[in-house]
Amino acid sequence: MNFFKSGLQSVLGTSENQETMTGAETVERLVDRVQSSTMLEDRRDACRALKALSKKYRVEVGAQAMYALTQVIENDRTDNEIVGYCLDALCNIVSPDQFEEESENPHISVNIGEQFTEMFIKHPDHISLILSHLEEYDFRVRWSAIKLLTCLLANRTKEIQEVVLVSPMAISRLMDLLVDSREIIRNDSLLLLIQLTKGNANIQKIVAFENAFDKLFDVINEEGCADGGIVVEDCLILMLNLLKNNSSNQQFFKEGSYIQRLSPMLILTEEAEEVGMTPQKVSNIHCMLQIIRVLVSPNNSQQSIAACQKIMRSCGLLETLCRMLMSSGIPPDILTELINSTAEIIRGDGNNQEYFNQVLAPSNPPKPAIVILLMSMVNEKQPLVLRCAVLYCFQCYLYRNEVGQNDLIHTLLPSTKEVPATLTSGQLLCGGLFSMDAISNWFSAVSLSHALIENQNQKEQLLRSLVATSSSSQPTSLLQQCFNLLQQGQFKYQSKIGILMFLIIWLSKCEMAVRSFLSINGTISFLIAQITANEHDENEYLIQGLCAFLMGICIQFNDNGVEGNRRDDLCQLLIKRIGIETFSGKLNEVSKHESYSKAGKQPQIRIKSPADLLLDYEFCKLFKSLEPTVSKLITSFTNGNESVNELTISQEASSLVAQYKNIIREQDHKIQTLNEQVKQLHLQNESISSKLTETQTSMSQINDQNILLRAQLTAASSSGVQNQHSNMNGFYDQHATKIHELEQQVASLSHEKSHNETKIQFYEAENARLLTEIDQFGATKENESTNEKLRCEINELNSKVEQMSKDQEDLLELLADQDLKIKEYRKRLKNLGQQVEGDDDEDD
Amino acid sequence: MSYAYLFKYIIIGDTGVGKSCLLLQFTDKRFQPVHDLTIGVEFGARMITIDGKQIKLQIWDTAGQEAFRSITRSYYRGAAGALLVYDITRRETFNHLTTWLEDARQHSNSNMVIMLIGNKSDLESRREVKKEEGEAFAREHGLVFMETSARTAANVEEAFINTAKEIYEKIQEGVFDINNEANGIKIGTVSTPTNPSIGSNLPGGQSSNSCC
Ligand SMILES: Nc1nc2c(ncn2[C@@H]2O[C@H](COP(=O)(O)OP(=O)(O)O)[C@@H](O)[C@H]2O)c(=O)[nH]1
Ligand SMILES: [Mg+2]
């Protein structure tokens, strides 16, 4: 303090009277000198003095000297010393920090630096001026300009960013600072860039374009990577800024093979494992893990996640992380982030999930990493964040992983094989489900539910699972046991919520599971009792909502297989015992609950205290997709459509599809029988045709014989048998007429036949068309009108077939008639003494 | 993924001329008719081969809006190549070429290779700018010219590759200072086949004889 005073005195050449007076006065006099003195020396001294006063008399210097200082920076730019003083003085004025020197000043307001910043940047030129001084190599100027910009940015980030963005070379210059050989410049410019890149995608892009990642990795390497100091951490924080919510830069990072550069930095030496980590190393590794997570965050596009996940496996990063995960002496903060990172690297990637499944912990005997992790999850003594991370990791392992889901459920099924030597995941989770620790109950229930998501087969398989809670008790089904747990009075609300979510996921879209659940004594009355209970606590409301949803699921996916709990029965119960409005109100409790919106935001569980552990992301997703269906189902009762038939028709997709399937099956069957009939008609037709040909042949034979007879008759008459002749003549005339008639009949018969054939052709064509239509119908499944039309057509066709069969019968009768007549004629001819050729045997 | 050289490109031109589509067609070989302005990834990379050498192209798609012109300027200095794009069905995009070119010349290093591109050549029926006009403009300003279609992929490969060839030739001629990364060129880590190290020609185990 004395130094400053004496310094001031020497500059001003006067002694101070009163402190308060001197502050403002001194500054005024100094400003006057800065502006009026023609001697550089003088101006320099005055600026030095202003700098010295700028902490204690910040208000005075800021108010009176800002303009003068800026002028000097502009006009005296060739003198580095004076520019340095001015930049420093300005830096003090706008600093967001409070100085020790001003702590006793009651007039100083907290945001004084911010106010001066605002004044200073009213002229955008001022910022350009500061930016231009970054080019000055002189240490004092460059360093002071960096610090001033950093202060300005801290106070008014957005405004400064806008100015920097439109100054073409500004970012370029700032990036050059990163390769300044003077460490302090490099380090402080890192801090400046961290401020500058916050939340501005355009700046982030340009910084990346200016080779930021290369430069930063160079610095990190120089500084000793993960073992390096705070500069390494700053570099990593800047990288994180560049990548967060910036898909372009993420793509650039991936394409530039920077994942491959980051990966080896996470390899821990054995020595490090033994000695443990310094707090700085913990911070560095923490930042690296965050960078990894930004690249595979579930919020990114699926395409970009998948590409990064693949690289992370192939470059050995996943392996490195898994090894670190299983090594000893990893500090808890890192362990949690490590588990979360691993989770997101494997999420939804079959190969990575399979790799993770194979990881073994170096225990004796080696245990699967998954088992080790689940052991921590169901262990009350482990920190909550760690347990949450394990759950997340396990969920990510099961996500879209049918094989993993099947494996897990398999460990819960009764097997003929011997009990495995080590504990299985399934056993651990069952243990957690039935433990006294509510958090373990919740974690286990949610874990199990994730093995059933989108996995119809395992929902049915798990119904076979038997559990014995104590060695003495008889094994009961897991489903029954879950219901027992729900009924226990001392069971905490969190455990109930967990079990209810598990049951809902299990029963949803699985009629078999619903049937099993409804077969358990008292399930529905329990749900009704819960829904109608008079509760006052928010979490109890949530439980009621879940119970209502579960009941809705039991109605929705009911196959009417349980006597007394058919869809109709449950609807009646709902209307009479709960009331539709109450039910809807309770159902709404779920989505109204705070945790619904929180949990639904991202797959990872983000909670502050154990009490926040309520709803799960995947459950929220399911609720969101099924709740409208259940709601619609319930409101359909209100509309007076209480009849179950109506209800059935108004059902959503699943039942509709089943309905249509039935119709299609019926129609298939009909088509088959029709085809059969067509075949038979064909056969009949053929036989009729052959008979017709036969008849025609015999007719022509008869004709020939007739001609012969006539000729013989003429011969006879000429031999003088006149009487007989006239008789015979009359007979013959008659005969000829008859034959003529017969011929006509045959003609009409063949006409009939060809007509019949056309009909059959038409029928076949119709049939083919029908088949294609059915095909189309099968594809759309929802076209009821087509269906209706088809049914009509089938009816029509049926009647046509009937008609045709009748025609056919008539024809056959006619043929038989014809046959008879022909026979008669033959007989008569015989009687007339004629030798009839052909069907002799018949007549004998 | 090793390369002999890395070239940085920028794509500039008015909004809507098809810059993002050209990039997507070149890197992903697909066309996306409705491009989402808000979430578009504005960076792409691809490996190409020139003269038997692997060359990695890093392509930065810029915002074309007039309002962001000043932002675009930040990209010029660090780029080795620029694709200046107009839309053959919108004359005004052709008319704006002069200002784009002035901007580019003013802020880039003088060796930056600029390729003029008339995009949407598939929309012949709606053409407003004749091919000859594009050719004349290019000749007048010393640019390479090409008409492309991001939709049919016609000439898209050629546009990017020919630009790279120009840059490559300039390197061979010694015009580019390849050691200054600010020029948008980076030498890869692998030694190129044309520069076999002397040591590899010596019989093994005789390094003690080397004079260096
Ligand atoms: N027909 C046709 N349309 C194109 C072509 N290239 C781009 N477009 C369309 O032009 C519009 C603008 O393209 P976009 O790439 O977003 O332009 P940008 O603003 O320059 O990035 C989009 O609707 C594209 O579908 C092309 O070669 N042919
Ligand atoms: Mg675009």
Side-chain angles (χ1 to χ4, degrees):
Chain A
M1 216 47 208
N2 275 334
F3 164 76
F4 286 129
K5 273 184 189 161
S6 57
L8 273 179
Q9 271 161 6
S10 70
V11 173
L12 297 167
T14 56
S15 60
E16 319 157 33
N17 300 324
Q18 286 176 340
E19 279 253 331
T20 46
M21 285 292 291
T22 19
E25 266 179 21
T26 324
V27 171
E28 198 185 329
R29 256 183 254 173
L30 287 171
V31 170
D32 188 47
R33 257 175 84 182
V34 168
Q35 289 180 321
S36 57
S37 176
T38 50
M39 304 250 302
L40 178 62
E41 293 274 306
D42 256 8
R43 294 202 299 276
R44 200 191 281 149
D45 284 346
C47 286
R48 189 197 297 122
L50 281 172
K51 174 188 166 182
L53 287 170
S54 61
K55 282 190 179 171
K56 185 163 186 186
Y57 299 103
R58 188 204 292 230
V59 179
E60 290 79 2
V61 176
Q64 298 180 61
M66 190 185 280
Y67 176 74
L69 291 170
T70 321
Q71 286 274 290
V72 173
I73 294 176
E74 174 102 61
N75 300 332
D76 285 330
R77 61 164 60 232
T78 46
D79 186 72
N80 292 329
E81 194 182 345
I82 196 170
V83 171
Y85 294 142
C86 293
L87 288 170
D88 283 345
L90 284 173
C91 188
N92 286 338
I93 294 167
V94 301
S95 170
D97 304 324
Q98 199 178 13
F99 302 115
E100 228 176 87
E101 291 87 337
E102 60 187 356
S103 57
E104 285 149 31
N105 188 340
H107 304 299
I108 212 94
S109 63
V110 193
N111 62 347
I112 185 77
E114 218 180 308
Q115 288 174 18
F116 280 129
T117 302
E118 211 168 301
M119 273 173 64
F120 184 75
I121 63 171
K122 276 225 175 80
H123 304 276
D125 292 353
H126 287 176
I127 301 167
S128 313
L129 183 66
I130 310 299
L131 285 170
S132 72
H133 278 87
L134 289 174
E135 259 174 308
E136 173 54 56
Y137 185 73
D138 180 83
F139 179 79
R140 283 164 299 180
V141 175
R142 190 174 270 194
W143 192 41
S144 300
I146 291 173
K147 283 189 298 182
L148 174 55
L149 267 176
T150 310
C151 284
L152 293 170
L153 265 167
N155 286 327
R156 278 285 178 274
T157 314
K158 273 225 175 74
E159 289 91 333
I160 313 276
Q161 283 177 334
E162 290 310 315
V163 178
V164 171
L165 199 49
V166 297
S167 320
M169 297 302 286
I171 295 174
S172 229
R173 271 186 225 128
L174 286 170
M175 293 304 292
D176 289 343
L177 302 178
L178 282 183
V179 290
D180 196 308
S181 55
R182 294 158 297 188
E183 275 190 17
I184 192 158
I185 299 271
R186 185 195 67 188
N187 298 351
D188 279 355
S189 61
L190 265 175
L191 297 178
L192 170 59
L193 284 165
I194 288 172
Q195 291 279 0
L196 183 69
T197 50
K198 258 187 201 152
N200 188 315
N202 277 320
I203 293 185
Q204 290 161 5
K205 243 178 89 180
I206 298 170
V207 169
F209 178 81
E210 293 280 350
N211 293 326
F213 293 124
D214 275 334
K215 286 178 176 150
L216 292 173
F217 271 113
D218 288 346
V219 176
I220 290 172
N221 279 324
E222 272 169 41
E223 296 292 320
C225 300
D227 292 311
I230 191 143
V231 178
V232 170
E233 188 182 352
D234 288 340
C235 288
L236 293 167
I237 290 173
L238 179 54
M239 276 195 200
L240 205 51
N241 271 2
L242 298 180
L243 293 170
K244 226 179 245 168
N245 298 322
N246 193 322
S247 50
S248 276
N249 279 356
Q250 289 172 13
Q251 174 95 346
F252 177 51
F253 195 86
K254 182 192 78 194
E255 289 289 342
S257 307
Y258 295 111
I259 296 175
Q260 288 87 330
R261 283 184 80 171
L262 185 65
S263 176
M265 295 186 190
L266 285 156
I267 298 173
L268 293 187
T269 56
E270 264 175 46
E271 180 197 279
E273 261 186 59
E274 281 160 21
V275 178
M277 296 183 192
T278 62
Q280 185 58 55
K281 184 164 185 173
V282 170
S283 300
N284 292 348
I285 290 191
H286 199 269
C287 281
M288 292 180 188
L289 293 174
Q290 281 185 296
I291 290 175
I292 292 167
R293 288 191 66 189
V294 162
L295 297 169
V296 287
S297 155
N299 293 329
N300 296 352
S301 78
Q302 188 47 48
Q303 197 191 357
S304 127
I305 295 172
C308 289
Q309 285 174 328
K310 206 170 149 215
I311 293 173
M312 287 177 183
R313 183 183 64 255
S314 61
C315 79
L317 179 60
L318 179 58
E319 190 187 337
T320 304
L321 295 191
C322 287
R323 188 168 299 157
M324 203 197 293
L325 202 58
M326 289 297 118
S327 60
S328 52
I330 302 293
D333 324 5
I334 293 213
L335 194 56
T336 305
E337 197 61 9
L338 192 56
I339 296 170
N340 285 329
S341 311
T342 311
E344 286 171 355
I345 296 176
I346 64 171
R347 186 170 194 269
D349 181 306
N351 288 323
N352 291 4
Q353 285 164 332
E354 177 51 28
Y355 176 84
F356 183 66
N357 186 32
Q358 302 288 336
V359 175
L360 292 177
S363 57
N364 199 11
K367 288 196 190 88
I370 292 180
V371 169
I372 301 276
L373 287 172
L374 289 180
M375 281 163 85
S376 318
M377 187 181 79
V378 296
N379 182 349
E380 277 180 78
K381 296 192 187 79
Q382 293 290 347
L384 182 68
V385 279
L386 181 74
R387 299 173 75 185
C388 285
V390 173
L391 174 64
Y392 183 45
C393 188
F394 194 58
Q395 291 174 338
C396 289
Y397 166 68
L398 293 176
Y399 182 70
R400 294 195 183 148
N401 180 3
E402 207 181 318
V403 179
Q405 289 178 324
N406 296 356
D407 284 352
L408 173 60
I409 298 298
H410 191 76
T411 61
L412 288 164
L413 299 181
S415 82
T416 47
K417 276 185 254 158
E418 276 176 56
V419 188
T422 53
L423 224 47
T424 64
S425 316
Q427 286 166 328
L428 273 168
L429 293 177
C430 269
L433 200 60
F434 305 129
S435 87
M436 296 305 289
D437 169 31
I439 306 293
S440 289
N441 299 154
W442 192 90
F443 279 135
S444 305
V446 171
S447 297
L448 286 172
S449 74
H450 278 246
L452 301 178
I453 288 166
E454 309 268 316
N455 195 330
Q456 200 61 27
N457 189 24
Q458 295 310 319
K459 284 179 190 173
E460 290 176 7
Q461 287 295 315
L462 192 57
L463 293 172
R464 298 198 291 124
S465 174
L466 295 174
V467 285
T469 40
S470 62
S471 52
S472 57
S473 66
Q474 274 291 311
T476 44
S477 77
L478 178 63
L479 193 64
Q480 168 87 55
Q481 197 55 42
C482 285
F483 179 57
N484 294 348
L485 286 175
L486 274 184
Q487 290 174 291
Q488 279 174 20
Q490 78 272 27
F491 210 48
K492 291 217 186 72
Y493 67 89
Q494 255 166 330
S495 319
K496 282 189 187 172
I497 290 170
I499 298 259
L500 280 168
M501 289 193 296
F502 175 39
L503 287 176
I504 287 167
I505 290 180
W506 192 350
L507 266 55
S508 64
K509 301 175 191 167
C510 182
E511 290 180 347
M512 203 200 252
V514 170
R515 200 192 311 150
S516 301
F517 183 70
L518 293 177
S519 308
I520 298 171
N521 240 340
T523 42
I524 286 299
S525 34
F526 170 77
L527 290 181
I528 293 176
Q530 289 283 309
I531 297 166
T532 53
N534 190 11
E535 298 290 357
H536 304 286
D537 174 75
E538 205 182 300
N539 289 330
E540 295 292 348
Y541 286 154
L542 183 57
I543 292 179
Q544 291 188 312
L546 294 174
C547 286
F549 190 48
L550 183 54
M551 182 154 178
I553 298 269
C554 287
I555 299 173
Q556 174 78 36
F557 301 100
N558 195 317
D559 64 355
N560 293 329
V562 182
E563 190 75 29
N565 275 336
R566 293 202 190 93
R567 184 193 283 272
D568 196 15
D569 306 325
L570 297 185
C571 291
Q572 294 304 325
L573 275 174
L574 195 155
I575 292 162
K576 296 207 177 92
R577 300 266 307 275
I578 304 172
I580 286 158
E581 270 190 26
T582 315
F583 185 87
S584 298
K586 295 295 176 191
L587 196 57
N588 280 337
E589 290 297 339
V590 178
S591 51
K592 259 172 33 191
H593 199 274
E594 195 189 353
S595 78
Y596 182 77
S597 52
K598 273 193 181 158
K601 269 195 198 119
Q602 75 285 310
Q604 191 192 348
I605 306 124
R606 296 228 165 109
I607 52 157
K608 290 195 188 77
S609 77
D612 298 337
L613 221 43
L614 297 170
L615 293 180
D616 164 61
Y617 174 78
E618 284 292 340
F619 169 81
C620 293
K621 242 169 70 180
L622 179 86
F623 185 86
K624 205 169 173 184
S625 72
L626 278 184
E627 191 269 344
T629 316
V630 171
S631 272
K632 213 163 131 197
L633 174 75
I634 306 309
T635 36
S636 72
F637 308 157
T638 348
N639 299 337
N641 299 335
E642 287 175 23
S643 113
V644 175
N645 286 342
E646 282 287 325
L647 197 77
T648 322
I649 290 160
S650 75
Q651 280 311 303
E652 287 300 314
S654 58
S655 54
L656 247 165
V657 166
Q659 224 176 310
Y660 281 124
K661 271 187 193 156
N662 273 340
I663 294 174
I664 290 171
R665 212 171 289 136
E666 272 168 35
Q667 287 178 337
D668 253 346
H669 184 71
K670 267 186 200 161
I671 287 194
Q672 247 173 12
T673 43
L674 285 175
N675 266 341
E676 210 62 33
Q677 285 178 344
V678 167
K679 237 184 246 165
Q680 272 176 352
L681 280 171
H682 244 303
L683 283 178
Q684 284 180 359
N685 213 19
E686 260 167 39
S687 77
I688 288 175
S689 306
S690 65
K691 270 184 194 164
L692 245 171
T693 351
E694 262 171 48
T695 321
Q696 276 168 336
T697 339
S698 53
M699 285 294 280
S700 71
Q701 275 173 358
I702 288 173
N703 247 1
D704 289 349
Q705 283 166 6
N706 243 338
I707 292 164
L708 197 80
L709 265 169
R710 262 188 217 161
Q712 281 175 343
L713 261 174
T714 342
S717 62
S718 61
S719 68
V721 199
Q722 283 298 333
N723 260 353
Q724 258 192 330
H725 180 224
S726 59
N727 267 350
M728 278 291 271
N729 248 358
F731 176 69
Y732 265 110
D733 282 347
Q734 225 183 332
H735 197 180
T737 336
K738 272 277 153 74
I739 283 185
H740 185 68
E741 264 174 31
L742 244 160
E743 273 171 346
Q744 263 177 351
Q745 272 178 347
V746 166
S748 87
L749 211 81
S750 54
H751 178 158
E752 193 95 353
K753 183 203 157 224
S754 75
H755 185 64
N756 214 348
E757 271 171 341
T758 338
K759 267 195 191 168
I760 283 176
Q761 256 168 11
F762 165 77
Y763 180 77
E764 276 175 335
E766 193 69 355
N767 213 13
R769 192 178 63 80
L770 220 118
L771 277 170
T772 44
E773 256 179 66
I774 291 255
D775 272 353
Q776 275 168 3
F777 180 80
T780 50
K781 275 189 191 172
E782 275 168 26
N783 197 334
E784 261 183 287
S785 67
T786 319
N787 212 355
E788 200 54 41
K789 219 170 78 192
L790 268 167
R791 222 175 291 158
C792 286
E793 273 171 349
I794 283 178
N795 281 346
E796 224 174 279
L797 276 169
N798 271 344
S799 57
K800 273 189 201 160
V801 165
E802 251 166 56
Q803 183 65 39
M804 276 172 69
S805 315
K806 227 180 244 162
D807 285 356
Q808 199 80 356
E809 263 166 42
D810 288 352
L811 271 168
L812 282 173
E813 246 168 63
L814 222 85
L815 262 176
D817 262 10
Q818 211 71 270
D819 260 355
L820 267 178
K821 276 183 190 159
I822 287 177
K823 264 183 205 161
E824 209 179 310
Y825 280 121
R826 279 208 185 113
K827 233 180 236 162
R828 284 203 210 168
L829 279 171
K830 238 184 204 166
N831 289 346
L832 281 166
Q834 288 298 323
Q835 181 65 40
V836 180
E837 289 171 26
D839 300 315
D840 294 42
D841 346 10
E842 245 185 337
D843 293 338
D844 290 345
Chain B
M1 280 303 229
S2 55
Y3 51 81
Y5 291 108
L6 182 149
F7 297 163
K8 276 199 207 176
Y9 281 12
I10 54 174
I11 314 183
I12 52 175
D14 281 5
T15 187
V17 296
K19 298 184 295 296
S20 306
C21 290
L22 281 167
L23 174 59
L24 194 68
Q25 182 59 259
F26 180 65
T27 56
D28 284 32
K29 295 196 169 28
R30 63 194 169 96
F31 178 71
Q32 202 174 320
V34 195
H35 197 74
D36 194 336
L37 275 176
T38 49
I39 55 154
V41 173
E42 293 145 349
F43 171 81
R46 215 186 103 179
M47 200 76 92
I48 58 168
T49 311
I50 289 178
D51 199 14
K53 293 195 182 66
Q54 293 285 90
I55 291 180
K56 183 151 188 164
L57 300 185
Q58 260 185 15
I59 306 142
W60 302 75
D61 178 13
T62 62
Q65 290 89 336
E66 269 304 308
F68 300 141
R69 182 69 72 87
S70 45
I71 298 177
T72 314
R73 292 189 184 122
S74 298
Y75 289 92
Y76 290 120
R77 188 184 77 150
L83 305 189
L84 172 54
V85 189
Y86 68 92
D87 177 351
I88 65 151
T89 70
R90 277 164 57 217
R91 174 156 296 274
E92 79 264 23
T93 66
F94 181 74
N95 294 341
H96 292 158
L97 288 179
T98 326
T99 36
W100 277 112
L101 199 59
E102 274 169 13
D103 231 34
R105 289 263 151 91
Q106 191 185 335
H107 295 100
S108 67
N109 72 72
S110 54
N111 290 315
M112 182 169 83
V113 172
I114 303 176
M115 161 81 76
L116 179 66
I117 289 183
N119 189 39
K120 309 200 187 175
S121 62
D122 55 297
L123 299 175
E124 193 53 52
S125 60
R126 283 166 45 197
R127 177 189 284 276
E128 284 183 10
V129 183
K130 284 206 242 30
K131 193 174 176 185
E132 292 74 31
E133 294 176 84
E135 282 166 350
F137 186 93
R139 215 176 309 120
E140 190 183 328
H141 294 94
L143 313 173
V144 195
F145 173 69
M146 212 165 243
E147 281 198 348
T148 62
S149 166
R151 189 160 132 192
T152 67
N155 267 345
V156 173
E157 291 268 322
E158 289 82 350
F160 284 90
I161 290 173
N162 290 357
T163 309
K165 279 184 185 156
E166 285 261 328
I167 298 169
Y168 184 75
E169 276 165 26
K170 282 195 172 186
I171 294 174
Q172 303 299 90
E173 290 164 12
V175 179
F176 262 121
D177 173 13
I178 48 175
N179 293 314
N180 183 358
E181 271 188 31
N183 286 333
I185 297 170
K186 212 164 119 182
I187 308 175
T189 40
V190 286
S191 62
T192 55
T194 49
N195 286 329
S197 69
I198 298 159
S200 65
N201 292 334
L202 295 170
Q206 298 192 358
S207 53
S208 53
N209 291 345
S210 94
C211 53
C212 333

